[in-house]
Amino acid sequence: MTLPRATLRLQLHHDFTFDDALAQLDYFAALGVSHLYLSPITTAQPGSMHGYDTVDYGAVSAELGGEDALRRLADTVHARGMGLIVDMVPNHMGVGGSHNAWWLDILEWGRHSAFARHFDVDWHSPDPALRGKVLMPFLGAQYGEELAAGRIELKFDAANARFFVQYGPHVGPICPTDYAALLQSANRADLTALAAAFQGLTTQPDDQVRAAAARAALREFVEREGAAPIEFVLQSYRSDDPVARDRLHRLLERQHFRLAWWRTATDEVNWRRFFDVSSLAGVRVERHDVFEAVHKLIFRLYADGVIDGLRIDHIDGLADPREYCERLRHRLASLRPGEPYIVVEKILARGEALREDWAVQGTTGYDFMNDVGALLHDPAGAAPLAHSWTEITGEDAPFAQVSLDARREILTASLAAELDHAARALHRIAREQPATRDYTFAAVHRCVAQLAMHFPVYRIYPANGLRSALDNRYFEVALGAARKALPRASLGALDQVDGWLGARAPEAGGGNNGNPGKAARTANTGSARQAGQNQAAPPLSHAMIAQRTALALFSQLTAPLAAKATEDTALYRYGRLLSRNDVGTDPDDFSLDVEAFHAANVQRQRTTPYALLATATHDHKRGEDVRARLAVLSEIAPEWRETLRAWSTLNQPQRRGDTAQWSPGPAAEAMLYQTLVGCWPPGLDPADEAGVQSLAERVAQWQLKALREAKQRTSWIAPDEDYESECKAFLFDILSPQRRDGFLRELSAFVARIAPAGALNTLLQTTLRMTSPGVPDLYQGTELWDFSLVDPDNRRPVDYAQRAASLDDATPAAKLADWRDARVKQAVIHRLLALRECAPGLLREGEYWPMEVRGALAAHVVAFARRHGDSWAVVVGTRHAAALLDRDMPRVAAQAWGDTAVALPKGCPASALHDWLADVDHTAGSDAAQGKQGDQAHWLALRDVLAALPVAVLTNVAREHTQA
């Protein structure tokens, strides 16, 4: 296995290709990363800026440079002793448009398409209008309106001899079973003769072969005669003539797709989507043939040594993540020697750990991002900040309630069809047996809705249709809440649904109608896993298949519900402190004490020492340095409360609307102020009109997304453009040049006061990411300040020339005086990556030892040691220091530390400990020197260790002089 020392995430698109990455390789190598970590490389929808809308798994994206360019990059990367990790998207593909051949084939041939089982399509919809069809919810208005307006047109692709209907960029292939009627409609002998070859076609595979031969003859005819004869056909279906338009409508009604208004997707979509995105269709990668087709290119590139590892996107969207990971590891391991490196994108809820039976190295690091972020927050600020939020908004609900309310809304407003699919699968089980057939669909639907609404984690991971004891721990939470929420008359149905969702195995007869109970649930512990390892397992019964299907659909409902309700809704409604509102966080978990942080790191070292450690990602809602600065507000909550009041009063004249419902409204205004404080660039002068204007435009982009995601006064589905316009006007008014001596001056002055403490938080966060158990991940460009906002702001072009020019071998301590230019942050990363290179096992695999801290300022210190053989590293950092800073420097003055000291673990050398960040040596004193008695432990005085920087990394590993 090629273990990364550190990864660098790059967002690839047509403006930053493989060759662009290659051009920056000298800098990446000099910085010290070992692996480039690339966004998806497969062919995506044209113009995609992220690559997650794959349309062809079998080809490297031509927009990124194609396979030749990828191999050029890989060859140079490997020549430097580095590696490549690529992002893989097995859960969904981009659909709509005209570029996904698999999708177009099922639109053309329906259930008999060779790819019909590649996607999660419900071909047996209870809606007769969708039976055997695929909903195409891409119309901008009602179908009849768009048809009458002539925006749905029949066209002909001469190169491929295909008729298709087009609506904007979307195409729907006409099934060849209709070609005979189409060609005959022109009343031309030559076309009527061609029609004969299409007569009597069905959608069966043999007839698809016949259709291909008939198409070949049609293509030859068009090549010989030109397209003019076909125009007679198209004229027979033009939309400006009522008769022809009716003919076109009847033709469309016979197809294997149903064109529909985009709003119908919420209620009627009959295929699994990625969340509620109707341009991304779920892929059935649990099927062996689909798995192989999806990974064919990746397997070839891995076998050829082009790529060295995989990051698996949205693992919770898969039917069986455990089985997928095992299969993937087995296939990769069979292709070349060594264990493959695999990490998964997984959001872990409070108290949840990555399942230990998944065959992966760990997660992509959201869990660490949450922990280190919470560590920066002062728990004393939680209550006063909550009180301030209630004062402003009138809302006093904890985040859990806000999230629950959002779940209730999302189930009905965005995921109603997905809820129906899960309920229908369970209702089919009910109908199988006389004992349960009278449980109605509505009753089952109510039960599933309540379970999903109260589910405490993204999903469970049953094996062989049974829940494990760990699954039951989470399921019982939802079950208990559902029992309280449902009427007594529904509890019988709920008990049955509990059974069908894996509380017990189905009976041999298929009914699974015994009385469910906790004893039955706990009895499943381990049995499902053992059954999954039985290679001679008997064929699955109908009842087992039905139960597994229902479980998969339920899990594929709870995961997107959690994401949409929490990440994409509630986090935009609740604003106590926005630095605790990000992917993978729970704002109710406001802070984390040092002991809990140590415990989490001990667990990482034990279970996932090679997982990624992230503090910034392509999906974050606020850059790592925005969050670090906003965390300072937890230390000065009373001052922030008064500041909010003053700014609200100052900017009241700029509000729009009446006093009853003004724009932007109290919550949106309060969150706007936090955002401005968090992302105000260091050194931006309020008199710099161009700079302030540029910032306002970025914040306006965030504001629009935030307002729509909150789904309160506007939304993506039903935008209130007047309200949005008023909010934007408010923003630009308060940041206009006329306010340079008013709000702008107040804003910049406040930021200037807290920015040093924010920078200190950044240096601590950076150091902990570099030294905690795991593999540090850098997001592109964030080695300098990351004051980005949610995408697309966090995917802006990176100035690598600036970063390369600022990289040298000077110590971070030497750069602290000019901390506003962020070179000190880059230097910390550079130095600690050099340490990781000198002692590869020390910070990646070394034992983790929490360290005792004593003295007056002990509460402001986090300290631990890492040990690997005879190599030691002692990590010490400052936290919660806003009131202790040395003037406007992100550092506590040496004398202020007083008697504060950290105890070295037994066995750690007490002398010649070299600080890699300041290039000075330290020697620990004994207890006697500290005025103590006892076991003569050795102590490091922080007045010495933290004299140069707010962080220190002391080791007995010799630092060789290296040139950047």
Side-chain angles (χ1 to χ4, degrees):
M1 175 166 55
T2 304
L3 287 174
R5 180 172 66 250
T7 59
L8 174 65
R9 167 77 180 201
L10 297 176
Q11 287 298 115
L12 302 174
H13 46 78
H14 54 78
D15 289 329
F16 191 85
T17 65
F18 298 127
D19 285 339
D20 293 316
L22 180 59
Q24 305 302 331
L25 195 57
D26 287 345
Y27 167 66
F28 299 151
L31 184 62
V33 298
S34 67
H35 285 64
L36 300 187
Y37 161 25
L38 306 179
S39 61
I41 62 172
T42 48
T43 300
Q45 291 280 19
S48 175
M49 295 298 288
H50 47 76
Y52 289 100
D53 45 359
T54 302
V55 294
D56 185 355
Y57 282 116
V60 175
S61 169
E63 289 190 353
L64 303 184
E67 189 168 332
D68 287 345
L70 171 63
R71 287 179 177 268
R72 278 197 305 274
L73 174 61
D75 288 346
T76 310
V77 162
H78 292 139
R80 289 180 173 273
M82 300 167 68
L84 282 184
I85 296 170
V86 299
D87 203 340
M88 180 65 196
V89 192
N91 175 67
H92 54 267
M93 295 186 81
V95 296
S98 59
H99 296 89
N100 189 328
W102 293 2
W103 185 254
L104 294 177
D105 198 76
I106 71 167
L107 298 183
E108 184 173 31
W109 293 105
R111 283 175 288 187
H112 294 127
S113 163
F115 304 101
R117 300 180 72 184
H118 281 46
F119 298 94
D120 262 331
V121 180
D122 181 5
W123 296 104
H124 305 284
S125 171
D127 181 354
L130 279 174
R131 223 162 275 161
K133 295 179 181 285
V134 175
L135 188 73
M136 284 183 67
F138 302 123
L139 302 183
Q142 299 245 9
Y143 167 77
E145 180 182 335
E146 297 292 61
L147 184 67
R151 287 187 281 268
I152 302 173
E153 301 177 279
L154 182 65
K155 295 192 174 182
F156 183 73
D157 173 11
N160 296 296
R162 292 179 185 270
F163 287 99
F164 64 94
V165 64
Q166 182 163 18
Y167 175 82
H170 305 289
V171 302
I174 300 300
C175 184
T177 57
D178 277 304
Y179 278 29
L182 284 168
L183 294 170
Q184 290 169 347
S185 69
N187 293 317
R188 287 176 55 104
D190 48 2
L191 294 181
T192 299
L194 286 169
F198 293 97
Q199 289 285 2
L201 281 178
T202 69
T203 57
Q204 294 296 325
D206 288 347
D207 276 3
Q208 293 182 36
V209 175
R210 278 183 55 207
R215 271 208 186 104
L218 179 57
R219 185 186 309 109
E220 292 173 4
F221 171 82
V222 173
E223 290 172 352
R224 183 176 65 251
E225 303 293 335
I230 301 297
E231 284 300 319
F232 287 98
V233 176
L234 303 182
Q235 286 298 312
S236 298
Y237 292 84
R238 67 188 188 275
S239 57
D240 59 350
D241 174 77
V243 174
R245 183 166 63 245
D246 182 66
R247 189 180 295 123
L248 174 60
H249 166 65
R250 285 184 279 111
L251 172 67
L252 291 174
E253 290 292 276
R254 295 194 298 273
Q255 302 313 305
H256 301 292
F257 57 85
R258 177 176 171 242
L259 285 169
W261 189 20
W262 65 270
R263 289 182 184 272
T264 65
T266 293
D267 298 319
E268 295 189 342
V269 68
N270 63 335
W271 41 272
R272 182 169 64 88
R273 301 174 290 174
F274 171 74
F275 295 179
D276 61 349
V277 182
S278 296
S279 59
L280 297 173
V283 177
R284 298 186 65 191
V285 74
E286 68 273 15
R287 289 178 50 84
H288 179 75
D289 56 335
V290 180
F291 176 89
E292 291 297 324
V294 164
H295 295 85
K296 182 178 180 181
L297 170 67
I298 292 298
F299 288 159
R300 178 166 60 81
L301 294 174
Y302 186 79
D304 290 351
V306 176
I307 62 174
D308 303 288
L310 291 177
R311 179 254 196 201
I312 305 303
D313 178 67
H314 190 50
I315 191 74
D316 277 340
L318 307 183
D320 190 341
R322 177 197 300 108
E323 190 275 338
Y324 169 84
C325 291
E326 290 176 348
R327 182 184 294 182
L328 179 64
R329 178 165 296 279
H330 175 76
R331 285 288 284 115
L332 291 172
S334 71
L335 297 174
R336 75 185 207 209
E339 281 294 310
Y341 182 77
I342 307 170
V343 290
V344 296
E345 184 201 32
K346 167 63 184 160
I347 306 299
L348 297 169
R350 182 194 309 185
E352 183 185 15
L354 185 68
R355 299 296 175 102
E356 293 186 4
D357 56 356
W358 289 15
V360 298
Q361 271 66 45
T363 73
T364 56
Y366 290 121
D367 49 331
F368 179 80
M369 188 168 94
N370 173 52
D371 289 349
V372 75
L375 183 71
L376 303 182
H377 287 71
D378 187 343
L385 287 172
H387 179 67
S388 178
W389 175 251
T390 299
E391 267 189 332
I392 292 168
T393 65
E395 300 291 338
D396 61 357
F399 180 76
Q401 184 61 51
V402 176
S403 181
L404 179 61
D405 292 342
R407 284 170 176 256
R408 187 176 293 109
E409 293 173 30
I410 293 298
L411 265 182
T412 56
S414 300
L415 299 175
E418 286 76 7
L419 173 59
D420 284 352
H421 295 164
R424 196 174 303 119
L426 289 161
H427 188 237
R428 279 196 287 266
I429 297 175
R431 285 291 174 89
E432 289 289 324
Q433 291 292 319
T436 57
R437 74 178 212 175
D438 286 343
Y439 284 115
T440 65
F441 173 75
V444 172
H445 190 277
R446 283 192 294 271
C447 295
V448 176
Q450 288 297 328
L451 287 170
M453 208 180 303
H454 292 95
F455 221 69
V457 292
Y458 266 50
R459 58 170 291 178
I460 53 174
Y461 306 96
N464 299 314
L466 296 174
R467 301 197 304 262
S468 68
L470 184 54
D471 290 328
N472 283 329
R473 181 198 304 174
Y474 303 121
F475 200 92
E476 289 286 351
V477 172
L479 193 62
R483 285 193 176 115
K484 292 179 181 178
L486 288 167
R488 288 179 59 84
S490 295
L491 296 185
L494 179 64
D495 286 344
Q496 290 296 337
V497 167
D498 173 33
W500 296 327
L501 287 178
R504 62 193 182 281
E507 295 177 356
N512 192 11
N513 294 312
N515 292 324
K518 186 174 294 187
R521 287 190 286 278
T522 55
N524 293 330
T525 306
S527 62
R529 180 69 181 153
Q530 184 177 1
Q533 293 173 338
N534 182 3
Q535 297 180 352
L540 296 178
S541 68
H542 172 75
M544 292 172 68
I545 292 172
Q547 183 155 314
R548 290 188 182 191
T549 299
L551 268 166
L553 287 171
F554 180 74
S555 295
Q556 289 171 329
L557 168 66
T558 61
L561 176 60
K564 287 300 298 179
T566 302
E567 296 172 27
D568 295 344
T569 306
L571 289 180
Y572 289 98
R573 293 180 176 181
Y574 182 82
R576 171 170 61 176
L577 191 56
L578 295 183
S579 45
R580 291 302 294 142
N581 288 28
D582 221 298
V583 181
T585 67
D586 181 345
D588 283 342
D589 292 333
F590 186 77
S591 61
L592 192 72
D593 61 35
V594 172
E595 290 73 21
F597 180 76
H598 287 321
N601 269 349
V602 168
Q603 180 71 4
R604 285 189 186 91
Q605 196 279 326
R606 184 183 72 81
T607 59
T608 56
Y610 310 127
L612 295 186
L613 307 175
T615 50
T617 76
H618 62 288
D619 278 336
H620 68 231
K621 300 190 182 302
R622 289 159 196 88
E624 61 187 23
D625 300 319
V626 175
R627 298 194 308 272
R629 184 188 288 172
L630 287 177
V632 177
L633 301 183
S634 69
E635 302 179 57
I636 58 168
E639 180 185 349
W640 175 241
R641 176 188 180 189
E642 295 307 315
T643 299
L644 275 178
R645 284 178 170 178
W647 289 354
S648 182
T649 300
L650 181 63
N651 291 323
Q652 186 172 353
Q654 274 60 252
R655 294 172 180 168
R656 267 60 176 177
D658 55 41
T659 55
Q661 191 175 51
W662 48 273
S663 300
E669 183 179 353
M671 287 193 275
L672 174 60
Y673 292 143
Q674 288 190 55
T675 300
L676 290 170
V677 166
C679 72
W680 186 271
L684 176 60
D685 189 329
D688 178 358
E689 292 187 19
V692 174
Q693 175 71 16
S694 175
L695 176 66
E697 290 170 354
R698 287 178 50 218
V699 174
Q701 194 173 40
W702 161 83
Q703 182 187 56
L704 177 62
K705 183 167 186 172
L707 294 171
R708 289 187 174 182
E709 295 283 27
K711 305 173 187 67
Q712 291 177 309
R713 292 178 61 179
T714 187
S715 67
W716 297 106
I717 294 177
D720 183 336
E721 295 181 359
D722 290 339
Y723 170 66
E724 294 169 355
S725 178
E726 290 174 349
C727 290
K728 183 176 181 179
F730 176 83
L731 166 64
F732 277 85
D733 270 357
I734 66 174
L735 296 184
S736 68
Q738 293 91 330
R739 318 291 174 214
R740 68 165 60 96
D741 294 325
F743 175 67
L744 281 175
R745 182 184 62 198
E746 295 293 326
L747 172 62
S748 62
F750 182 84
V751 170
R753 288 200 302 277
I754 70 168
L760 182 147
N761 282 344
T762 282
L763 296 179
L764 174 61
Q765 178 174 256
T766 301
T767 300
L768 295 177
R769 175 165 48 114
M770 294 293 134
T771 56
S772 292
V775 177
D777 173 45
L778 285 70
Y779 181 60
Q780 58 181 26
T782 59
E783 59 272 25
L784 295 184
W785 293 133
D786 176 23
F787 290 111
S788 64
L789 301 171
V790 73
D791 69 281
D793 192 66
N794 61 11
R795 304 177 190 184
R796 287 175 294 151
V798 177
D799 186 348
Y800 286 112
Q802 175 198 14
R803 285 156 177 76
S806 66
L807 184 67
D808 56 34
D809 202 44
T811 66
K815 298 183 178 186
L816 186 66
D818 298 316
W819 61 269
R820 288 176 179 82
D821 64 15
R823 291 187 303 135
V824 62
K825 179 185 179 185
Q826 182 189 47
V828 167
I829 293 170
H830 181 41
R831 281 295 180 103
L832 294 182
L833 290 183
L835 173 58
R836 296 182 74 94
E837 184 175 16
C838 285
L842 177 59
L843 296 178
R844 186 175 58 203
E845 302 162 343
E847 299 167 358
Y848 186 94
W849 299 56
M851 292 170 63
E852 181 185 356
V853 187
R854 292 181 181 173
L857 298 184
H860 299 277
V861 179
V862 55
F864 58 87
R866 305 293 307 278
R867 179 186 181 182
H868 190 258
D870 294 329
S871 298
W872 285 83
V874 173
V875 180
V876 184
T878 310
R879 73 180 194 126
H880 300 172
L884 305 172
L885 295 188
D886 184 7
R887 298 180 299 279
D888 67 344
M889 293 288 287
R891 175 189 62 198
V892 176
Q895 63 274 17
W897 286 109
D899 65 345
T900 311
V902 295
L904 293 179
K906 290 182 179 180
C908 180
S911 61
L913 287 172
H914 185 77
D915 185 353
W916 276 58
L917 303 182
D919 271 354
V920 295
D921 291 336
H922 294 278
T923 298
S926 66
D927 267 343
Q930 292 288 321
K932 310 292 182 184
Q933 301 294 325
D935 58 4
Q936 294 295 306
H938 290 89
W939 292 79
L940 288 167
L942 296 194
R943 61 178 176 267
D944 299 324
V945 173
L946 298 180
L949 282 169
V951 289
V953 179
L954 285 58
T955 83
N956 63 343
V957 177
R959 197 184 82 81
E960 300 177 358
H961 181 72
T962 57
Q963 292 291 335

